[in-house]
Amino acid sequence: MTDAMVEGDIGWFPLSLRLAGRRVLVVGGGEIAVNKIRLLLAHDARVELLATHLNGQVAEWVERGVVSLVGDMAADGALRAVMPGCRLVYAATDDRAVNRAVATVADDLNIPVCAVDDPDPSSFITPAQIHRGPVRIAISTGGAAPVLARRLRATIEAHVPDDTATLARYLSDRRARVVEACPDVPRRRRIWEDFIDGVGGAAARGGAFEQADDVLAALLRDVRVRGEVWLVGAGPGDPDLLTLRALNLMQNADSVLYDQLVAPGLLDRVRRDAELVYVGKRASRHTLAQSEINAELVRRAQRGERVLRLKGGDPFIFGRGGEEIETLLGHGVPFQIVPGITAASGCAAYAGIPLTHRDCAQSCIFVTGHARADGALDLPWDAMARSGQTIVIYMGVGALPSLCARLIDHGLSADWPVAVVERGTLPGQRVVEGTLATLPGRVVEAGVGTPALIIVGEVVRHRVVSPPGFNPSSV
Ligand SMILES: C[S@@+](CC[C@H](N)C(=O)[O-])C[C@H]1O[C@@H](n2cnc3c(N)ncnc32)[C@H](O)[C@@H]1O
């Protein structure tokens, strides 16, 4: 069981079945059967029918000889006589008891059976499908939520253009030739990726096959595997807050170097065969020194990998992204930088706290509360302790008592509002509210852990406790 699964998720194994020329028995001749027969005919199955009553569409198919009527309804003996040799059976009447009886016989004979809209007696179910020529995308909720499956299909459908069919056929036709010309698997995969993402793919989609062939030939001759590094912000935790660009690169990386703040749900979005390398850091426990991470990025890029350096939040906000690109520049390694939603924006939004507000906060300042090795907090206190301003403090929970005391020393009142957002945007997010005087005690009482972000300022009073769409808990 993978991290993404919970008990009860397991049950239906997706696979693609060849039905062309194979006998499939459908029991039932009404509306429910029509949908299944249509699907089966689209896959060139030989549909045989057991039914007492045929609706207009089914009668027409029978009349045209597209579907063979092999008997009327479903006495046990009739079922046992026609089922042997069938690849599949659909029990598609509007009578659940009849469907279940059909399923029992099919099960007895070891033939996969689907009792329509009734997963319990079924040994297979039919997923919602998207067809683009040879490309098939199937979406299944294991029979738990068919309407959700259909909604997902609509969403995915919008992202898979019709010309995908043309592209897929083009690729299929050239596949053997490319395998022969380039037996090296990683290099070949790269050629295909460059082709599909580039002008060649666009030409093939549009049917300009000669032009596409020229591009493919050029790639086969010239491609030199060149590594690069993509420095990508993964946002504060909720995978839905990834940018489209981040997702796209996650799907194309050969290896991913990720740190502590990258939530497991985010890694599920990475290409399955990419190598995942944890280089995480905690405030007090460095797994890999920054210089080692920099060197590892260079090493991997130099051997031709496309390396995704995935960082929590935004790489350029307390993320040491600047140091990493300086090293890459120094070694002539090409790189891209993709911004992410920083913890301040993500946590504030999910906690319902506006970072600026017309009435009370005309500016917002981000600071780090990470103390120096000697324990000192080196911060611009006078610039911070101002009314009309929100202060967001990253990495500050360990030093919270001292932070609050120093802000009071520099002129903010003891009842100035403060909130801490723990695990912002993630399941179990908590928000603890208080004042500069009370919050340190409350945070200890609540046992606030990491990651956590501090928001100081009158905006905390404007907090909307349950913003629409989510419901963070608050203590
Ligand atoms: C090293 S900084 C990295 C910041 C990151 N680059 C960004 O833009 O969000 C780590 C700090 O960010 C804050 N943080 C990051 N993700 C958070 C989350 N999901 N909830 C609360 N705070 C978070 C915490 O203050 C944490 O100690």
Side-chain angles (χ1 to χ4, degrees):
M1 195 156 74
T2 67
D3 286 350
M5 288 175 161
V6 294
E7 221 167 324
D9 280 353
I10 300 172
W12 301 98
F13 181 71
L15 44 78
S16 299
L17 192 67
R18 197 191 292 278
L19 287 182
R22 303 294 179 147
R23 292 173 55 220
V24 176
L25 180 69
V26 177
V27 183
E31 200 51 47
I32 299 169
V34 166
N35 295 331
K36 300 304 168 200
I37 295 173
R38 187 167 284 127
L39 206 55
L40 292 166
L41 292 176
H43 289 81
D44 283 341
R46 274 171 52 199
V47 179
E48 299 186 357
L49 191 66
L50 268 180
T52 40
H53 168 78
L54 308 185
N55 82 0
Q57 174 63 76
V58 179
E60 191 219 304
W61 278 326
V62 171
E63 210 168 294
R64 281 176 32 218
V66 179
V67 167
S68 317
L69 185 62
V70 292
D72 67 6
M73 209 63 132
D76 193 83
L79 289 169
R80 283 180 193 278
V82 293
M83 269 188 208
C86 286
R87 182 149 276 197
L88 298 175
V89 172
Y90 273 99
T93 75
D94 55 8
D95 184 329
R96 182 171 272 230
V98 172
N99 289 346
R100 289 192 163 207
V102 172
T104 306
V105 177
D107 246 3
D108 258 12
L109 297 172
N110 251 331
I111 300 172
V113 60
C114 171
V116 175
D117 287 335
D118 192 6
D120 273 354
S122 301
S123 54
F124 76 92
I125 49 181
T126 318
Q129 296 176 32
I130 297 168
H131 293 190
R132 298 285 186 274
V135 178
R136 299 288 147 110
I137 302 169
I139 303 124
S140 167
T141 58
V147 175
L148 176 62
R150 285 198 286 274
R151 305 297 296 165
L152 288 172
R153 179 180 57 189
T155 308
I156 296 168
E157 198 127 33
H159 293 277
V160 187
D162 282 347
D163 57 19
T164 304
T166 317
L167 175 64
R169 288 191 195 103
Y170 175 89
L171 298 175
S172 162
D173 288 348
R174 271 76 181 166
R175 189 155 173 247
R177 201 190 314 159
V178 172
V179 170
E180 199 184 328
C182 177
D184 174 18
V185 175
R187 182 167 171 247
R188 193 166 70 232
R189 187 176 72 203
R190 187 70 167 272
I191 290 172
W192 279 134
E193 285 172 357
D194 288 350
F195 178 83
I196 291 168
D197 294 342
V199 286
R205 284 175 183 278
F209 297 143
E210 272 181 33
Q211 191 190 338
D213 283 342
D214 288 345
V215 175
L216 188 55
L219 283 170
L220 281 165
R221 274 196 315 272
D222 293 334
V223 126
R224 194 166 55 87
V225 174
R226 203 174 67 130
E228 54 185 277
V229 173
W230 305 324
L231 193 57
V232 175
D238 182 345
D240 283 355
L241 296 181
L242 281 168
T243 63
L244 291 175
R245 181 101 190 104
L247 261 180
N248 188 288
L249 295 177
M250 286 161 85
Q251 285 300 310
N252 283 300
D254 298 309
S255 56
V256 180
L257 272 60
Y258 67 99
D259 58 31
Q260 182 70 26
L261 284 171
V262 173
L266 292 166
L267 294 176
D268 290 343
R269 299 329 199 241
V270 170
R271 192 174 92 193
R272 290 221 177 268
D273 51 354
E275 184 188 354
L276 298 180
V277 185
Y278 176 65
V279 293
K281 291 176 266 177
R282 285 184 204 272
S284 57
R285 186 164 60 79
H286 283 234
T287 304
L288 212 59
Q290 185 63 48
S291 58
E292 291 174 68
I293 297 176
N294 296 349
E296 183 65 12
L297 292 172
V298 170
R299 212 167 19 245
R300 285 176 177 269
Q302 283 177 341
R303 63 177 191 232
E305 287 180 29
R306 282 156 317 166
V307 189
L308 183 81
R309 175 69 177 110
L310 195 61
K311 286 172 165 286
D314 182 278
F316 279 2
I317 296 184
F318 306 125
R320 307 188 71 172
E323 292 159 60
E324 290 176 10
I325 58 167
E326 276 164 25
T327 310
L328 297 173
L329 265 174
H331 287 81
V333 173
F335 61 85
Q336 297 182 35
I337 304 158
V338 181
I341 292 182
T342 188
S345 307
C347 295
Y350 276 47
I353 301 171
L355 287 179
T356 63
H357 195 290
R358 222 179 126 98
D359 297 339
C360 63
Q362 286 71 45
S363 64
C364 175
I365 175 169
F366 295 176
V367 298
T368 166
H370 189 55
R372 283 195 329 226
D374 61 5
L377 279 169
D378 207 1
L379 289 170
W381 298 105
D382 289 328
M384 286 161 61
R386 288 183 184 163
S387 62
Q389 174 166 270
T390 306
I391 315 167
V392 179
I393 308 174
Y394 289 68
M395 295 170 279
V397 174
L400 186 63
S402 144
L403 282 162
C404 290
R406 298 289 295 273
L407 288 171
I408 295 172
D409 288 349
H410 283 80
L412 290 182
S413 68
D415 64 358
W416 200 246
V418 195
V420 166
V421 184
E422 180 200 36
R423 291 178 54 78
T425 80
L426 290 162
Q429 166 181 300
R430 289 196 298 169
V431 182
V432 183
E433 282 183 57
T435 63
L436 287 175
T438 62
L439 193 75
R442 290 193 185 170
V443 159
V444 172
E445 233 169 77
V448 168
T450 56
L453 191 85
I454 306 166
I455 302 176
V456 184
E458 289 182 296
V459 287
V460 172
R461 291 207 186 100
H462 289 271
R463 179 174 177 221
V464 180
V465 174
S466 290
F470 43 84
N471 190 14
S473 63
S474 170
V475 289

